[in-house]
C-alpha cells in the first residue's frame, strides 16, 4: 500500500478525483515503464468507460500502436529500450496519424516544443491532475 501512495504522488496530483465521464467508450494505450504508474492510470481510466492496454516501453508501444487500433495513446518520455521521443517519431514516419499525448516528469523549458516537434499532439506534466487527464481524453477521443 505504501508503494502505491508514493506512486500516486508521482503520477497524480492531490486534487480530488473527478466524477466519471458520462460519454462513449474508447480504446487507450498507455506506454509507461513504471508499473505503479501503469496500474494507477489503468485503474483511473478504466472507470471512464475506456478500454486500456499498456506497454512497458517505447518499442513495445510502437509495435502495439501499429498492430492494433487505439483512439488515444498516452506516452511516457523516459523509458528503457526506446524513449517516447523516438517512439512517436518512428510512429509518425510509419504513417501513424492517431492522437499521441506525452506524459512526462520533465517540465523543463523547451520540452513542450520538443514534444510537438517529435510528433506528439500534446503534452501533460506529471504529477497529473485527473481533471486535466479527463479533459485531454474528452478533447481527443470525444471532440
Ligand atoms: Mn519513465
Amino acid at each position: 500500500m505504501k508503494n502505491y501512495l508514493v506512486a500516486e504522488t508521482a503520477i497524480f496530483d492531490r486534487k480530488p478525483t473527478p466524477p466519471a465521464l458520462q460519454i462513449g467508450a474508447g480504446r487507450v494505450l498507455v506506454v509507461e515503464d513504471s508499473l505503479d504508474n501503469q496500474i494507477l492510470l489503468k485503474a483511473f481510466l478504466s472507470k471512464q468507460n475506456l478500454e486500456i492496454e499498456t506497454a512497458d516501453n517505447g518499442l513495445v508501444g510502437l509495435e502495439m500502436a501499429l498492430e492494433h487500433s487505439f483512439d488515444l495513446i498516452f506516452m511516457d518520455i523516459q523509458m528503457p529500450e526506446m524513449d517516447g521521443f523516438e517512439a512517436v517519431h518512428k510512429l509518425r514516419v510509419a504513417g501513424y496519424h492517431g492522437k499521441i499525448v506525452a506524459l512526462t516528469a520533465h517540465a523543463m523549458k523547451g520540452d513542450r516544443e520538443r514534444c510537438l516537434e517529435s510528433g506528439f499532439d500534446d503534452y501533460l506534466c506529471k504529477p497529473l491532475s485527473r481533471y486535466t487527464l479527463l479533459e485531454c481524453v474528452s478533447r481527443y477521443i470525444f471532440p
Side-chain angles (χ1 to χ4, degrees):
M1 194 61 196
K2 191 165 181 247
N3 286 341
Y4 286 92
L5 289 174
V6 170
E8 177 87 1
T9 59
I11 188 73
F12 287 126
D13 68 13
R14 293 182 170 279
K15 287 179 193 149
T17 303
L21 295 169
Q22 300 297 320
I23 47 182
R27 273 174 56 78
V28 176
L29 175 63
V30 171
V31 187
E32 161 68 77
D33 64 310
S34 154
L35 185 59
D36 282 351
N37 288 351
Q38 272 187 26
I39 290 168
L40 290 163
L41 281 166
K42 189 170 181 171
F44 177 66
L45 293 171
S46 294
K47 288 179 190 151
Q48 314 300 325
N49 208 14
L50 299 170
E51 191 184 327
I52 314 300
E53 298 281 338
T54 54
D56 293 340
N57 62 60
L59 186 58
V60 175
L62 169 72
E63 289 166 355
M64 285 176 73
L66 294 175
E67 284 169 20
H68 306 284
S69 172
F70 295 101
D71 299 299
L72 179 62
I73 297 175
F74 285 117
M75 191 174 311
D76 184 24
I77 294 295
Q78 282 204 307
M79 293 182 286
E81 305 296 332
M82 186 185 290
D83 69 18
F85 290 126
E86 188 178 351
V88 76
H89 177 70
K90 289 206 154 97
L91 277 169
R92 297 314 188 196
V93 168
Y96 187 88
H97 294 300
K99 298 295 181 191
I100 312 176
V101 175
L103 300 181
T104 179
H106 288 206
M108 296 189 318
K109 201 163 184 271
D111 255 22
R112 183 178 181 86
E113 288 69 25
R114 193 175 168 201
C115 281
L116 299 179
E117 278 166 19
S118 302
F120 284 106
D121 294 286
D122 210 339
Y123 166 100
L124 298 178
C125 285
K126 298 174 196 171
L128 303 167
S129 152
R130 293 172 182 79
Y131 286 94
T132 305
L133 193 62
L134 289 193
E135 185 188 79
C136 187
V137 167
S138 316
R139 187 164 56 235
Y140 291 114
I141 304 189
F142 312 105

